[in-house]
Amino acid sequence: WCATLWAMVHVATGGPSRWWLVAGLCAGLALTSKYTAALLWVGIGLWALATPDGRRRLRGPAPWIGALAGLAVFLPVVLWNAEHGWASFVKQGGRVADWRPERAAGFLAELIGGQIGLATPGVWVLCVAGVVAAFRRDIPAGRPLARLLLTLSVLPAAVFVQHAFGDRVQGNWPAIVYPAAIVAAAGLLSPRWTRLVRPSVGLGFVLSAIVLVHAATGFVPLPPKSDPAARQLAGWCRLASETEALRQRNDAAYVVAEEYALIAELAWTAPATMPIVGIEARLRPMALPAADMAGRTGILLRAEHRGEAIDPQTWASAEPLGFLDRGGNERYRAWRVVGRAAAVALPHRPFAECR
């Protein structure tokens, strides 16, 4: 995304046509990495249509050659999807249908508050001020670079605000807003803004250093439920060993889970004696072996927040066995189940340091 912005700045400031090819290749790589880069393509298209110089350049071959080059980079992703039921397109496209306006206030507050914290308050204020200044000062002056920065910051920001009317916006998603917003912030030249730069950047470095040191060493003791690193990373070895003990006590042939993160962590941390089965839809397009669960007893593990509903089409019977936990982090319901059909068997990669 940043490399595409760099190339497009050359285009917007009158650079030679070859920069369109660089931008196209970089935008194709961005789209291959993450589908939200589609907003990058849309933003560049809007910029080209909204500026006289952009419309003039669209009459030449350079923008179209750049776009074709980017699409060629992305083509393997399209071909893989065509061979696998459009799996990743369907998964990501399904987010568009989310709509829960009654929860929008909470999601919006979480989005804005989270970004102020993640970007750090001073940097966030500078970014907002830079975008506002570009809109108020540079757009009336007809500066094409300002329009480019606005389309590549305001457009994705608007999409995330819209998404907050249906579901939570994960904290990392709006990262794509910041490259253009930070360039816009660099144009704030009045003393009241320049005085804020050094303390804002300094605070950002300090907070980032604290987070990194804590993640690496745990030097600030926090309760597990208040420690974001612990909530994600801690206790997996304990959960795997307790699940294996539960499996052996119940003479079960396998352990099965429905959430891809839980499945992957178990496959990484579980003892080699514990057969692991996944029934999450995102596993189906992968080249993994099948596991026959029909008529066989297993242990189903599911995060507590996912509820107690059992799919009768998947399980012939399900007997609750209580809860397991990851040392004060997430709790998991356990069932003794008898399966009806085949699922995906995961290969083991036991973690040598797991204890």
Side-chain angles (χ1 to χ4, degrees):
W1 187 289
C2 291
T4 306
L5 174 60
W6 167 69
M8 285 304 301
V9 166
H10 284 276
V11 171
T13 53
S17 295
R18 64 176 177 269
W19 286 106
W20 279 107
L21 178 60
V22 177
L25 290 171
C26 293
L29 289 169
L31 193 57
T32 301
S33 172
K34 196 167 180 66
Y35 293 163
T36 44
L39 297 172
L40 184 61
W41 288 69
V42 174
I44 291 172
L46 290 175
W47 171 83
L49 293 172
T51 59
D53 184 60
R55 292 191 294 270
R56 178 183 62 80
R57 288 180 178 246
L58 286 177
R59 292 194 288 269
W64 307 105
I65 293 172
L68 288 173
L71 292 174
V73 170
F74 186 61
L75 183 60
V77 178
V78 178
L79 295 177
W80 184 92
N81 272 274
E83 294 171 358
H84 294 85
W86 307 103
S88 63
F89 290 166
V90 170
K91 166 62 183 174
Q92 298 301 331
R95 301 181 190 275
V96 177
D98 293 332
W99 183 247
R100 289 182 288 175
E102 71 280 1
R103 298 193 61 186
F107 289 145
L108 285 169
E110 183 180 293
L111 169 62
I112 296 171
Q115 291 309 301
I116 293 173
L118 287 168
T120 67
V123 171
W124 188 85
V125 167
L126 286 169
C127 286
V128 173
V131 171
V132 171
F135 183 82
R136 296 177 60 184
R137 179 192 64 203
D138 297 334
I139 289 293
R143 294 170 180 166
L145 179 56
R147 293 187 180 183
L148 177 67
L149 297 177
L150 285 172
T151 55
L152 295 185
S153 57
V154 175
L155 172 65
V159 169
F160 294 130
V161 168
Q162 183 277 328
H163 184 80
F165 279 80
D167 201 355
R168 175 173 289 106
V169 177
Q170 300 299 325
N172 60 296
W173 293 355
I176 59 176
V177 174
Y178 290 101
I182 287 171
V183 174
L188 295 171
L189 302 178
S190 66
R192 67 168 177 164
W193 295 118
T194 56
R195 283 194 296 267
L196 186 59
V197 170
R198 287 189 178 182
S200 298
V201 173
L203 177 63
F205 274 112
V206 169
L207 293 178
S208 298
I210 291 172
V211 169
L212 291 171
V213 171
H214 172 67
T217 67
F219 82 105
V220 179
L222 295 173
K225 291 188 177 181
S226 301
D227 185 341
R231 286 204 305 269
Q232 296 292 328
L233 303 175
W236 289 108
C237 293
R238 169 180 171 170
L239 178 66
S241 63
E242 291 186 357
T243 302
E244 172 61 358
L246 184 66
R247 182 188 74 84
Q248 294 183 10
R249 288 198 302 271
N250 285 271
D251 195 26
Y254 56 86
V255 171
V256 60
E258 306 156 314
E259 304 154 73
Y260 71 94
L262 175 57
I263 296 163
E265 290 286 359
L266 288 175
W268 180 255
T269 57
T273 56
M274 188 169 88
I276 300 164
V277 177
I279 56 174
E280 216 274 355
R282 278 172 279 192
L283 297 173
R284 293 173 190 158
M286 301 180 186
L288 294 170
D292 186 9
M293 300 189 302
R296 303 176 69 202
T297 299
I299 300 297
L300 170 65
L301 213 59
R302 179 191 289 170
E304 183 180 16
H305 69 267
R306 292 178 65 91
E308 303 181 41
I310 295 293
D311 182 5
Q313 295 184 340
T314 304
W315 309 112
S317 65
E319 174 191 349
L321 297 175
F323 292 90
L324 301 175
D325 65 65
R326 289 195 288 114
N329 298 290
E330 180 77 79
R331 289 213 313 171
Y332 298 86
R333 300 179 191 273
W335 281 270
R336 188 175 186 269
V337 293
V338 176
R340 290 188 185 275
V344 174
L346 268 73
H348 277 72
R349 290 192 63 188
F351 186 32
E353 297 181 13
C354 201
R355 57 187 181 272

